[in-house]
Structures are given as C-alpha cells and as structure tokens.
Amino acid sequence: MTTENFDSAQSLEERILGGLDAEQREVASTLNGPLCVLAGAGTGKTRAITHRIAYGVHSGVYSPQRLLAVTFTARAAAEMRSRLRDLGVGNVQARTFHAAALRQLQFFWPQAVGGTLPNLLDHKAQMIAEASRRLRLSTDRASIRDLASEIEWAKVSMLTPANYLENAQGRGTPGGFDLTAVARVFQSYEDVKTDRNVIDFEDVLLITVGILQEDQKVAATVREQYRHFVVDEYQDVSPLQQRLLELWLGGRDELCVVGDASQTIYSFTGASPKHLLGFKAQYPEANVVKLIRDYRSTPQVVKLANDLLAGRRSGGPAADAAWATPLQLVAQRPAGPVPQFTECSDDEAEAATAAVKIRELLDAGTPASQIAVLFRTNGQSEAYEQALAAAGIGYQLRGGERFFARKEVRDAILQLRAATRAVAESATPEPVGQLVRDIVASLGYTEAPPHNGGALRERWESLAALVALADELAQVRGEHFGLADFVNELQERSLAQHAPTVQGVTLASLHAAKGLEWDAVFLVGLSEGLMPISFADTPEAVDEERRLLYVGITRAREHLALSWSTARTPGGRANRKPSRFLDGLRPNSVASSTARGKGPAARRKAAAPATCRVCGSMLASGAERKVGRCNDCPPSYQEQTFEALRQWRKEIALAAEVPAFVVFTDATLTAIAEAKPSSLEELAALAGVGPAKLERYGEDVLRVLVESTVL
C-alpha cells in the first residue's frame, strides 16, 4: 500500500470510526460474515450499525445499492436514512420489512402472477365486520379490534384458517368468541378480501414469501440485487418476517442482526426473541458483540433497570442459558437524582402530583419536549390530560393526531415548496433556518411563544418544531443544505410519519415509547392489575410485562418518577397494591426472592408468588397466592399440623369474641402449615402475616408447630 493510500485509509477510519467506543468500533469494523450485536438500551446501537454501513460503503466493501437495512417502524427507517445521509451514504436503502416486500411485490407481480397488483387494505375493521355479518355473528368495535389482532397474529405466525384451530390452543377467547368461531371469521375475512380484490399488510409478506419460494428466477434476481443485510430490533422478528429474511439470503450469511431480548414487548403480535437468542446456534461461526455501555441514563436509572431484570422468572427460549441472561448495563453518565417512588390515594391525586412535579421541572429549565408521562393503557391518559391542562402545561398525545396531518403543518409545507423557486433564483440566498422563519411567520410563527394556551399555542408549537428542525438539519448537513433540500426532507418524513420534536409534555403508552427517550420520565399507574396487566395470566406474559416496565425505565436520561395509587376514584376503597415488580426496588420493600432474609425489612409482607410451587402454573386468586399453590395441586402439610393450628385459632377467636378468620384466614393458616416456619423472620415472610399479627400471635404459632410435629 502506498503512503497516499495508507493516509487515505487512516483518514477514512478516523472519520467514520473515531468517535466510537471499543465495542461499537468492533461492530462498525466487522464488515463480513454473520454478526450478532446484543445491544442494551441506550448503548448506541443505531450509531454502531449506521457507522458500520458507512464504513463498508466508503471502504468499497459494500455497494450501497446492494445493501438492505431493515427495521420495524417507518419512523426508525427514516431516522436511519437520515443518519446515513449525514455520513455521506444517502443512497443506501433502509426500509421496514413491509416496505421492502411491497416494493419487490409491485415489481415482480406482473411476471410472477400476472395482471395488476390488488389494492392494499389500510384497515381490517370494515372487512372483518362484513365477514362476521356473513356468519351472522354479532360484533362491536372492541370485538372487531380483537379479532383483527388475532388474525394478524395468525398470519405472521404463518397459520391459515385451516390450521389455526390446532395451533391457537390456549389463546383465550379473542373478541369474546371461542377459537372455532375465530377460525370461521378468519376464513370469511379471507373470502371477503378475495371478493373485493384487496390484500392486507400481512398478505404483502405472505405473497412475497410465496413468490420467492416458487419462482427461482425471481429469487435469483432478488439475491443478485441484495448481497448484504442489516436487521435492527431483531428481537421483534416474527416467524413470517424471519422466513422472508431467509429467502432473501438464500443460504448466504452476509447478515448483521441487532437486538436486545430484554426489550421484547410485542409477542402478542407474533414477535419472538428466539431468532436473536438462537443466532449463534444457526450461525456457529458468527461474531457476537455485546454493547453494554449506557450513554443515555444516569447510574441511578441504570441500576434500577438492572435490578428490575434481576428479578425476572425466565430468560427466554434459548437453549444456552448465557444467551438468556439479560445484559447488565454499565452507566457512562455522571450521577444524577435518585428515582422517586410515590404512593397516591387515587388516580386523580396521582395525576395532580405528576403535574406538580412536571411544573417544578419546567421552572428549573427542563424543556417540555424532554418530559414524558408513560402508562400501561391508553385509557389512563385522560386523567393526565386534565391535570396538565388544569396546570397550564402543554402536552402532546402520542398516537393522537399525526403531526404532518395538522392544518398548519400542511399549509407551511405548501408555502415552503412554493418559495423554493424564488429562493433558487436569488443571488444571495439566506440561511435555511432564517428562510423558514420568514416563510412561516405569515402563518402565525413568532420568536416568542404566545402566553395563552389552547389552539393558538398548539399551532405555534407545530411551526416552531419546523423551524427547530431546519436549524438542526442545517447545522448537521452544512452550508450547502438549502430550502429545496429541507422541503424534500419534510416530504420523506411525512411519508414515514417521522415527526420533529414538538414543545409539549409527551403522553404515551409504554409500547408507544419504545425507541424514544426523554430527560424526565414519569411512569404512572404502577399497581397490580395495571403493571402487570390483569390479563397477563402466564409466567411468559408476566415476564413480558416486566420487560415493558424495563423499556419504560430506560427511556429516562436523568429524572425518573414511579407512582401508583391505592384507589381508582377519590374516596374509593383503597384495595390496590403497588406492582410486584417494585418489590425490592422501592424504599423499605423486599424482593420476593429474598423475603426470608434477616433484619427489619424481612418483617414486611413479601410479595405473593406468581406461580404454583408444585406445577408452575399461574396463581389466579389471592388465596392461591397466599398459599403459593393452585387449588388443583394437593396440599403438602401434615393433617395433624393443620388441625392443631385450626384448634388454636378457634380458641383464640372464642376468647376474643371475634370470627376465626379475623385471627388468620384459612389460606394463611394453610400457608403456615405448609411452610412450617421455625423463626419469627420466616413467619413474617408469609403472605397474610403482618407486623401486628406477628407480634400478637407469632410465638404461639411457632409453639403450636413444634408441638404438632412432636405429636
């Protein structure tokens, strides 16, 4: 190699790889062969893989037209394309699975199938309603939504109406219908689509898979086009997407996958981490790189996230236990405030408390756009909308009206597009940021925000977001970035729904928050029944709820607040308990796995076990959780011990003139008889034995246990 070439290579390496840490640099410089990147939250995975692509293109290893980067949302794909443009490789394709498959389907349909590609169905609701009417089934909006979700799950799991029933056992009653009825609706829905000559989003993948499997000429053309593949968020791949990826590869191994099994939160849609966790088994020669340096969150937030995962019950489906072990993040940021835990009397009080804390953050200088309130279900948002509105705090509801659908945004883009010709003809064009300011001023934009709220403030915030985006892109893209470039960027972002940052507190579900981050995050409604959600009735489902909370925690950069309420409405019965996931995390609480330890904390009531200690099934009732065993499994206590405890309880109740259950319930008595505690600490660890009862009856219970054993 000549000195000139060496200097050029050195310059390229420094320019593309210089700002990466050791692990990110290993990812970016490993350009060939199968590569698996296990990337924890906040560890810079997108940075690593975009720099890998850029390094590969600039060094000549990759042809940009022959590399396909795949991710799971249009927004993530748009962000990846934007980063690649910043690195000088804007002609690399970054698409979702559906977008990539649709493009191929549109191209190959005439030669592989013939005729015109059927229209693409935007929403299933109308077709499912028609399918149900054909079967004379009564449906409402909620049941149609549930049926649509079930059909989507079936199709991405590569099931048909014919084999759905045998493969869907244990999935409950989607939409309130038994599985036989669901199978009939599934078939009827497919018939309606055929009659209307339309296909849905899942059909795009299914038909593409079918063509690639059946038409070797088409398969060869696709494999010639794409030589290298990068798949982000690989833990969320479905069986159907995995099959499509395998057909694209055609037995080759030029594949880089990136993911984190601890962030698998979409299994209800068919996603599974088994492909990520089984990657090494499929490709034994694969390089595996772990990204664990967390650049997003403070050490306090990172510790909470690590501690939460340490209490999980299962690690995933991988045969290799090491792969099923969660990544332990290592914080890289300076120390920050300790996460706050708050118990409130009811939902209204919880929302008001959050609003007060948000006002404090705003007054201290945290931008509203850097604050988020995250909840488990969308139905929880109303209380926070009302509380923030009452406090005069602007907010945006993620999943509400889309940014690019707002009238002021559409008007602004029209005016910006109209101004591009005049700007191009100008001899001395102004910086793009100033141009955008001048153009949107006629729509109501001013440098200072309006003092009042409501529609006027929302309109200003939309226009201000466009101005801020223009400034940001001009700084990144350089002096040659002009108004026409900005309009093109807006057009692409509009198609991908990649909205710029709007000034306002974000309200979002935990699922919708995936992939985002804020300076301050409020995790609300963390009570049993909401987190984990009440219908999470298997160990796997509860595990996913834990991962969902983990995703919520790791959205926070610095400030993190976790809260729950003891009642739903003001004055209501305070029968809610904080989430079991907070046991051992919140102050003065004990993790269920360590509840038998010593010291004052051990005297607190332990979290009831979630599964039967005999058969491992989920415990459905409070009584079962107290005992730690489902009703179908036989008791493990000695009959004489249980009878001795019952006789003792009867005597105590008669003497105190109270019902027997006031002393101890049958479930608690059963738990004592089966556990046979030998100390006050062990007795205190049992559900149903609080500090007062421990002090009043503890010594007597231990005596009865000893005497009954002797007998």
Side-chain angles (χ1 to χ4, degrees):
M1 177 181 291
T2 65
T3 303
E4 181 180 350
N5 288 336
F6 178 80
D7 290 342
S8 175
Q10 189 177 44
S11 174
L12 172 65
E13 185 170 328
E14 182 59 32
R15 180 159 52 90
I16 302 296
L17 308 181
L20 306 180
D21 67 31
E23 294 78 23
Q24 292 171 345
R25 192 182 184 104
E26 183 179 357
V27 171
S29 58
T30 304
L31 301 180
N32 294 109
L35 173 64
C36 180
V37 183
L38 301 177
T43 58
K45 68 178 178 65
T46 305
R47 177 179 175 84
I49 59 176
T50 52
H51 281 248
R52 178 181 186 267
I53 294 170
Y55 188 56
V57 171
H58 285 305
S59 62
V61 176
Y62 302 153
S63 169
Q65 292 79 17
R66 294 191 170 189
L67 185 146
L68 179 61
V70 186
T71 188
F72 281 79
T73 66
R75 183 186 183 280
E79 181 181 350
M80 187 177 289
R81 288 194 297 270
S82 179
R83 292 200 190 194
L84 291 170
R85 277 195 298 270
D86 295 341
L87 292 168
V89 287
N91 48 354
V92 171
Q93 290 191 42
R95 301 177 181 276
T96 64
F97 270 103
H98 283 91
L102 180 59
R103 191 170 188 234
Q104 293 174 18
L105 192 58
Q106 290 168 333
F107 183 82
F108 290 113
W109 181 275
Q111 68 183 79
V113 181
T116 305
L117 180 70
N119 292 325
L120 187 60
L121 184 65
D122 288 332
H123 304 287
K124 292 183 175 66
Q126 186 175 352
M127 297 293 175
I128 289 177
E130 171 63 21
S132 302
R133 284 195 295 271
R134 289 187 179 188
L135 298 172
R136 304 192 178 205
L137 295 175
S138 177
T139 56
D140 55 20
R141 182 178 298 180
S143 61
I144 288 174
R145 182 189 63 235
D146 291 347
L147 286 169
S149 296
E150 185 68 6
I151 289 172
E152 288 169 7
W153 170 82
K155 297 182 78 166
V156 302
S157 300
M158 303 182 72
L159 302 179
T160 65
N163 63 10
Y164 165 79
L165 192 58
E166 63 184 280
N167 290 281
Q169 298 305 312
R171 288 189 61 81
T173 55
F177 298 103
D178 62 44
L179 297 182
T180 301
V182 174
R184 293 173 60 212
V185 173
F186 187 0
Q187 181 61 66
S188 181
Y189 166 73
E190 294 298 316
D191 294 340
V192 172
K193 286 197 292 110
T194 300
D195 294 344
R196 301 286 193 275
N197 191 34
V198 296
I199 58 176
D200 60 27
F201 281 99
E202 292 73 42
D203 290 330
V204 170
L205 299 183
L206 285 165
I207 296 170
T208 304
V209 164
I211 291 175
L212 291 174
Q213 287 180 158
E214 300 298 326
D215 194 320
Q216 294 304 310
K217 184 178 179 181
V218 170
T221 303
V222 171
R223 291 164 192 162
E224 175 64 23
Q225 172 67 46
Y226 297 116
R227 300 295 185 86
H228 299 270
F229 295 87
V230 176
V231 183
D232 193 13
E233 303 289 358
Y234 193 56
Q235 78 277 353
D236 289 330
V237 75
S238 70
L240 179 56
Q241 291 165 334
Q242 176 65 20
R243 181 58 184 147
L244 178 59
L245 177 61
E246 291 168 353
L247 288 167
W248 283 342
L249 284 163
R252 296 167 296 172
D253 62 3
E254 288 299 335
L255 172 64
C256 170
V257 299
V258 189
D260 178 10
S262 296
Q263 296 188 68
T264 304
I265 59 173
Y266 293 109
S267 65
F268 61 91
T269 67
S272 171
K274 69 180 182 181
H275 304 292
L276 173 68
L277 295 173
F279 192 82
K280 186 68 173 176
Q282 184 176 3
Y283 299 100
E285 73 282 13
N287 289 311
V288 179
V289 181
K290 294 183 179 181
L291 302 183
I292 60 172
R293 303 189 204 205
D294 188 309
Y295 297 96
R296 175 188 299 160
S297 305
T298 63
Q300 287 76 10
V301 173
V302 168
K303 182 180 184 304
L304 192 70
N306 285 338
D307 289 348
L308 173 69
L309 286 191
R312 81 201 194 294
R313 285 188 168 270
S314 65
D320 185 350
W323 277 67
T325 302
L327 296 170
Q328 284 287 303
L329 301 177
V330 180
Q332 304 297 301
R333 290 191 56 186
V338 175
Q340 298 179 351
F341 294 83
T342 305
E343 182 172 279
C344 300
S345 58
D346 53 69
D347 289 352
E348 186 178 312
E350 187 179 2
T353 299
V356 169
K357 293 182 178 179
I358 289 171
R359 171 56 67 189
E360 293 173 353
L361 287 170
L362 293 172
D363 292 344
T366 303
S369 61
Q370 290 302 321
I371 303 174
V373 178
L374 307 180
F375 31 75
R376 177 60 180 84
T377 67
N378 287 320
Q380 295 170 260
S381 72
E382 184 177 359
Y384 295 89
E385 293 178 55
Q386 294 176 351
L388 292 175
I393 299 171
Y395 63 87
Q396 55 174 330
L397 185 61
R398 189 165 183 82
E401 182 189 21
R402 293 183 171 183
F403 177 83
F404 288 101
R406 299 176 185 176
K407 183 178 185 304
E408 63 270 19
V409 174
R410 288 187 280 113
D411 291 344
I413 293 176
L414 286 174
Q415 292 206 20
L416 290 167
R417 183 178 291 114
T420 54
R421 177 174 297 180
V423 170
E425 295 173 353
S426 173
T428 56
E430 294 184 82
V432 67
Q434 187 57 50
L435 283 170
V436 173
R437 284 174 170 80
D438 294 341
I439 293 167
V440 300
S442 62
L443 298 174
Y445 174 77
T446 57
E447 287 296 325
H451 294 293
N452 53 328
L456 182 64
R457 177 62 183 245
E458 291 178 4
R459 182 183 182 88
W460 181 89
E461 287 174 345
S462 297
L463 299 175
L466 292 176
V467 171
L469 180 62
D471 289 339
E472 176 188 339
L473 292 175
Q475 182 177 1
V476 174
R477 305 278 170 82
E479 59 183 12
H480 297 297
F481 183 76
L483 185 61
D485 299 313
F486 182 61
V487 171
N488 291 336
E489 178 81 18
L490 291 177
Q491 179 65 26
E492 180 174 334
R493 283 174 173 251
S494 176
L495 293 173
Q497 291 303 321
H498 182 195
T501 301
V502 176
Q503 287 301 318
V505 174
T506 299
L507 301 180
S509 70
L510 286 163
H511 282 101
K514 179 75 166 63
L516 304 175
E517 58 186 76
W518 296 270
D519 286 346
V521 169
F522 290 78
L523 300 176
V524 300
L526 300 182
S527 59
E528 285 288 314
L530 286 172
M531 178 53 66
I533 199 74
S534 57
F535 53 75
D537 55 1
T538 66
E540 292 77 17
V542 172
D543 228 18
E544 181 144 331
E545 293 288 298
R546 183 186 295 273
R547 295 194 296 269
L548 188 58
L549 180 57
Y550 172 80
V551 167
I553 290 173
T554 55
R555 299 311 94 194
R557 296 193 190 102
E558 184 173 2
H559 301 279
L560 179 62
L562 304 93
S563 63
W564 61 94
S565 61
T566 57
R568 185 172 183 273
T569 57
R573 185 178 177 184
N575 57 359
R576 282 181 175 173
K577 303 295 182 185
S579 168
R580 72 191 75 172
F581 299 148
L582 302 183
D583 290 341
L585 302 183
R586 56 193 174 92
N588 301 319
S589 68
V590 179
S592 57
S593 61
T594 59
R596 293 179 181 271
K598 298 180 179 180
R603 292 178 173 268
R604 293 182 57 84
K605 183 189 297 184
T611 57
C612 174
R613 64 171 175 269
V614 179
C615 68
S617 63
M618 182 64 65
L619 301 178
S621 67
E624 288 182 343
R625 287 192 290 272
K626 276 189 177 182
V627 177
R629 171 181 49 77
C630 64
N631 291 329
D632 294 334
C633 289
S636 60
Y637 58 74
Q638 293 180 331
E639 191 65 33
Q640 63 199 42
T641 299
F642 185 70
E643 286 303 319
L645 287 169
R646 286 184 62 185
Q647 182 60 36
W648 165 81
R649 182 182 66 173
K650 179 181 178 181
E651 294 170 358
I652 294 296
L654 287 173
E657 297 183 343
V658 296
F661 70 83
V662 172
V663 181
F664 281 124
T665 65
D666 284 349
T668 301
L669 218 59
T670 301
I672 294 172
E674 294 193 352
K676 292 187 288 189
S678 59
S679 66
L680 291 175
E681 287 79 7
E682 292 180 0
L683 180 61
L686 299 178
V689 182
K693 291 187 178 182
L694 184 72
E695 183 177 352
R696 187 176 305 158
Y697 307 127
E699 297 291 350
D700 285 348
V701 168
L702 295 178
R703 175 181 52 78
V704 171
L705 289 172
V706 171
E707 292 176 353
S708 65
T709 302
V710 172
L711 291 174

